[in-house]
Amino acid sequence: MQETKVLLLKYGEIALKGLNRNKFEKLLEQNVENAVKKYKYNSNNKNAYINIEREQSIMTVWCDDPNFDIDNIIPALSKVFGIVTINSALKVEKNIDKIKETALKYIAPVLDGKKSFGVLAKRSDKSFPLKSPEIAAQIGDVLFSENGNITVDLKNPEVWVAVEMRNNGAFIHASNVKYHGAGGMPVGSNGTGLLLLSGGIDSPVAGYMMARRGMKISALHFTSEPYTSERAREKVVRLSKILSEYCGDIKFYSVSLTEIQENIRKYCDGDYTTVLLRRFMIRIAESIAKSNNIDCIITGESLGQVASQTIEAVKVIYDGINTPVFRPCIGLDKSQIIETAEKIGTYETSIEPYEDCCTVFTPRHPVTKPKLWKVLEEESRLDKSGLTKRASDGIYVI
């Protein structure tokens, strides 16, 4: 067997799923396939496939074409929820002499300039004649003989060298060529959610956090033409595309609130504008969720951040809503949300200075402790069902 450069994808929570683990592994495999589909064929060799194999709680990814650098797909794989670590490794035949030869050829240069190393061996294939300590000792000896300036440290070495004896081959890799995955659970393993996606910082983070727990995400964006521009909506479409690198395909709904906002401005107490508008938004979201068999609504609310996110406002806004509402950012402060937005790549787009529907007709003194009886009194001045229906009938879908 010729040495083959591979990626070892290791996962965390899935391994604890007992009899249900196979279902999660199949879903993860499909998500990995989707993440690397643009690399499916090497441009120089149309017959070269990227292969994915599941074996003993690990996935192995490699390309038939030896000229294709499999490390090129690591950025895409690092965004697949369910993967904890990605190891760039070499697969060789399960022969100790071949393993030592490969270690000298590929791993010894990795240790050049390092002060210490240790070898860990894992023998999942119990038919291999040498036990784990014997494998580790032999590989350690050959690496040490190549670099006499390095020391062996089995407690806290600068570099760990791993040798894994699995049913489908022997794998050699080093800890300094290990990459972090996105963690979490495979998208699609924990229901569906409709994300209220504004052009701000918080809502993309909320969608990311729920997708990381395995939820399949759709997005709903509200516009207020002509008070908001097409460029504002295009910005949110770009945010959806960034999220889709983590969440997979996203169905994007866009709904205009212009008529609703103009009616609220004309007939209602201005201080209640934001609360009344939010109630319409949630009713429309619930209608879309029910029509499309979506399990819940997701928002980017953070407790006390703005007037509509006080506990009193939240109680009033969601009064009468039967669909579950998830608020993964509710206990985070702004700096924590920004940190996540920067990590996932949405922050720079979110801060582009395009208006959104919530900035239209914003009152100077929005009520922070609204009373339900007052809200219902203000809503009685409006054609609530007609306004909601007309807005819902005007859905734009990408």
Side-chain angles (χ1 to χ4, degrees):
M1 177 191 293
Q2 186 179 4
E3 300 101 343
T4 304
K5 191 171 184 180
V6 302
L7 298 177
L8 299 180
L9 312 183
K10 300 185 178 183
Y11 35 86
E13 287 184 65
I14 298 176
L16 305 176
K17 293 300 179 181
L19 296 178
N20 292 319
R21 190 175 72 187
N22 187 56
K23 178 184 72 173
F24 288 93
E25 288 180 334
K26 284 183 177 179
L27 187 55
L28 178 60
E29 183 177 2
Q30 182 60 58
N31 292 345
V32 168
E33 171 76 20
N34 291 337
V36 302
K37 60 186 175 184
K38 65 181 178 181
Y39 304 98
K40 184 70 177 180
Y41 303 99
N42 184 307
S43 59
N44 298 319
N45 182 353
K46 298 304 181 183
N47 295 317
Y49 289 93
I50 289 178
N51 302 278
I52 303 167
E53 181 180 20
R54 282 192 291 133
E55 198 261 345
Q56 293 176 308
S57 300
I58 198 168
M59 287 188 189
T60 308
V61 181
W62 77 97
C63 183
D64 291 341
D65 181 0
N67 296 316
F68 179 77
D69 188 353
I70 198 67
D71 286 352
N72 288 337
I73 68 175
I74 289 175
L77 291 175
S78 68
K79 296 178 180 179
V80 177
F81 292 127
I83 299 172
V84 176
T85 61
I86 304 169
N87 292 97
S88 184
L90 288 161
K91 179 181 179 181
V92 300
E93 64 179 282
K94 289 182 287 185
N95 176 287
I96 192 62
D97 291 329
K98 184 64 177 176
I99 296 170
K100 288 192 287 187
E101 177 186 329
T102 303
L104 275 174
K105 185 177 178 181
Y106 292 102
I107 302 298
V110 173
L111 301 180
D112 188 39
K114 300 297 188 290
K115 295 180 180 179
S116 62
F117 81 103
V119 179
L120 288 174
K122 181 178 180 180
R123 190 183 62 139
S124 299
D125 178 6
K126 303 304 182 186
S127 66
F128 191 74
L130 298 177
K131 295 183 179 180
S132 296
E134 296 170 319
I135 298 169
Q138 291 202 32
I139 302 304
D141 284 343
V142 75
L143 290 173
F144 182 75
S145 66
E146 183 69 12
N147 189 342
N149 296 320
I150 200 169
T151 61
V152 176
D153 184 347
L154 298 182
K155 292 186 177 180
N156 188 30
E158 190 172 353
V159 178
W160 278 111
V161 176
V163 181
E164 302 186 31
M165 309 300 295
R166 297 183 171 273
N167 292 334
N168 58 342
F171 299 86
I172 308 172
H173 53 91
S175 61
N176 53 342
V177 286
K178 180 173 71 175
Y179 306 87
H180 292 292
M185 298 292 292
V187 170
S189 62
N190 275 320
T192 55
L194 180 63
L195 171 66
L196 302 194
L197 186 61
S198 71
I201 299 170
D202 304 345
S203 54
V205 171
Y208 166 87
M209 293 173 70
M210 293 310 303
R212 191 173 185 272
R213 296 309 306 154
M215 185 166 283
K216 177 68 176 173
I217 302 296
S218 298
L220 169 59
H221 176 62
F222 293 102
T223 64
S224 301
E225 303 89 349
Y227 307 105
T228 58
S229 66
E230 179 62 25
R231 293 182 73 181
R233 180 166 65 180
E234 290 173 355
K235 165 187 169 179
V236 182
V237 171
R238 283 187 281 121
L239 285 172
S240 294
K241 289 181 178 179
I242 295 170
L243 282 177
S244 71
E245 295 177 12
Y246 298 91
C247 308
D249 292 341
I250 292 176
K251 192 170 186 179
F252 179 89
Y253 303 90
S254 179
V255 175
S256 174
L257 295 176
T258 304
E259 184 185 9
I260 293 172
Q261 289 179 285
E262 290 177 339
N263 273 259
I264 292 174
R265 185 187 192 190
K266 184 175 181 179
Y267 298 112
C268 301
D269 183 339
D271 290 349
Y272 276 77
T273 296
T274 303
V275 171
L276 293 169
L277 179 63
R278 291 287 294 178
R279 282 170 61 88
F280 272 101
M281 293 166 71
I282 296 303
R283 280 194 291 267
I284 293 169
E286 183 173 52
S287 174
I288 293 172
K290 288 182 177 179
S291 299
N292 293 276
N293 297 315
I294 298 173
D295 299 319
C296 71
I297 296 168
I298 305 166
T299 77
E301 290 163 311
S302 172
L303 187 63
Q305 185 175 164
V306 295
S308 64
Q309 294 175 19
T310 64
I311 188 63
E312 294 87 354
V314 169
K315 287 171 62 179
V316 168
I317 289 169
Y318 293 93
D319 178 71
I321 297 298
N322 296 315
T323 303
V325 180
F326 289 171
R327 308 173 182 89
C329 298
I330 197 70
L332 303 181
D333 60 36
K334 198 67 176 183
S335 63
Q336 292 172 303
I337 296 171
I338 289 174
E339 182 181 351
T340 302
E342 290 175 333
K343 182 181 77 171
I344 66 177
T346 57
Y347 179 73
E348 293 300 327
T349 302
S350 291
I351 62 174
E352 291 178 5
Y354 299 121
E355 68 290 329
D356 63 48
C357 68
C358 294
T359 62
V360 177
F361 307 143
T362 301
R364 291 186 62 186
H365 303 290
V367 62
T368 58
K369 296 183 178 181
K371 304 298 182 184
L372 182 58
W373 66 266
K374 173 65 173 174
V375 171
L376 296 176
E377 181 181 278
E378 295 299 320
E379 278 187 344
S380 69
R381 307 171 194 269
L382 304 169
D383 176 16
K384 188 170 68 175
S385 59
L387 288 169
T388 302
K389 184 178 187 304
R390 288 192 293 277
S392 299
D393 287 347
I395 291 177
Y396 173 79
V397 181
I398 299 177

